[in-house]
Every structure is written in C-alpha cells, then in structure tokens.
C-alpha cells in the first residue's frame, strides 16, 4: 500500500520565487514540489498543496486524517496566529514536521512564536527550500517501520 504524505503550504507561498527573494530565494513552489518528489522513497506518494485561506488548510488537515501517514507543513504567517490550524493538527495522529524557509528566529519577534510548534514533532527553519526535503525524509523515516 502506498503511504501518502501531505505537504501543505500557507499564504503567500504561491509567490515563492517572486516574493522577497532576498529572504525566500528564487526557486518556485513548483521547484520545491519537484525536489520533494525526487527524494521520495519507493512506496510513498506526496499530495503537495498551497492555499491562502486558513479554512482550506484546515480542511486538508482533516482530509489527511483519513488518508495520510504524515504532514509536512509550512503554514506561512498562520504559524504565528492560528490556534485553529494548531487544533486541526492535534486531530492528526501521524508525524507533523513544521518547515520555514527562512530562519524565523533571526527575524521580527512576532515570528518567534509558533502555535504549530506546540504540536510539531520536528521544526526546520532557515535551510531554505531544502527544509522541505528534510521534512519529507523525516516523515518517511518515522513511518517506514509502520505496517503498510
Ligand atoms: C515562513 C516564515 C513566516 O514567518 C512567514 O510569514 C512566511 C514564510 C518561511 O517559510 O520562512 O510566509 O513560513
């Protein structure tokens, strides 16, 4: 049976590559998706999604409850504001890895707090888009032993 990983992206990440490239780089979200697919071990599949809307992300987390073994999530600015995404992630039983392209701890103080980190099994910040691959690898290593 194929193990499905949800890779979820929050607001403004559709503009990756164009938006503040000095912070987020010039690679696009399509590049991120392609990189994640390249390192995916046999037996795993990815559902790679982006939305600017909090409720849509929550719906995807609920969907993941039924179908996914793990979640990699870059919630964008919702990281710092959304109790609702935190609550949704708490309904998910598999591993959750939080990814930030930039090192949020080196930036404005409002980015230093994350609701999602209260649930995440791992937090990656400041590795650029490579953080997504690290997140996917971690979900795979945490779920590989589980019976398929
Ligand atoms: C981000 C960091 C957040 O603070 C910011 O709001 C984003 C992107 C990152 O990937 O570095 O939109 O999650």
């Amino acid at each position: 049976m194929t193990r499905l990983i949800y890779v979820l992206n929050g607001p403004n990440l559709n503009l990756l590559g164009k938006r503040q490239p000095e912070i987020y780089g010039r690679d696009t979200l399509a590049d991120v998706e392609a990189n994640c697919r390249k390192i995916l071990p046999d037996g795993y599949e990815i559902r790679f999604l982006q939305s600017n809307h909090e409720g849509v992300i929550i719906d995807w987390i609920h969907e993941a409850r039924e179908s996914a073994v793990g979640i990699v999530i870059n919630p964008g600015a919702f990281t710092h504001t959304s109790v609702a995404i935190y609550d949704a992630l708490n309904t998910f039983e598999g591993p959750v890895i939080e990814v930030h392209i930039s090192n949020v701890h080196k930036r404005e103080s409002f980015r230093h707090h994350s609701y999602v980190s209260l649930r995440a099994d791992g937090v990656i910040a400041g590795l650029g888009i490579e953080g997504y691959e690290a997140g996917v690898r971690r979900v795979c290593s945490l779920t590989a032993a589980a019976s398929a």
Side-chain angles (χ1 to χ4, degrees):
M1 200 179 86
T2 305
R3 295 178 173 103
L4 184 62
I5 301 172
Y6 269 50
V7 182
L8 300 179
N9 293 278
N12 301 304
L13 287 160
N14 53 311
L15 295 180
L16 194 64
K18 296 181 190 137
R19 164 204 189 200
Q20 296 181 281
E22 68 287 1
I23 296 175
Y24 299 112
R26 297 209 175 268
D27 294 306
T28 66
L29 208 56
D31 296 327
V32 175
E33 178 172 1
N35 291 349
C36 289
R37 290 190 185 284
K38 260 183 228 156
I39 57 101
L40 207 59
D42 284 347
Y44 283 88
E45 189 45 72
I46 279 178
R47 185 138 195 254
F48 195 96
L49 300 161
Q50 187 277 331
S51 177
N52 294 324
H53 305 281
E54 191 175 14
V56 173
I57 294 167
I58 291 165
D59 288 343
W60 285 335
I61 294 167
H62 294 175
E63 211 180 272
R65 276 166 51 79
E66 307 300 323
S67 57
V69 295
I71 295 176
V72 175
I73 183 165
N74 182 349
F78 291 148
T79 306
H80 320 296
T81 62
S82 181
V83 175
I85 288 178
Y86 167 61
D87 283 349
L89 288 170
N90 273 327
T91 75
F92 183 78
E93 286 181 3
V96 173
I97 306 296
E98 176 182 351
V99 173
H100 301 286
I101 296 165
S102 65
N103 180 0
V104 283
H105 301 289
K106 209 176 165 186
R107 301 181 63 194
E108 302 97 322
S109 59
F110 65 82
R111 296 184 204 276
H112 298 175
H113 178 262
S114 165
Y115 287 103
V116 171
S117 295
L118 295 168
R119 162 62 181 91
D121 299 291
V123 182
I124 298 164
L127 299 193
I129 63 165
E130 290 169 40
Y132 284 87
E133 290 153 64
V136 168
R137 281 203 175 92
R138 183 64 182 158
V139 168
C140 293
S141 65
L142 288 171
T143 56
S147 61

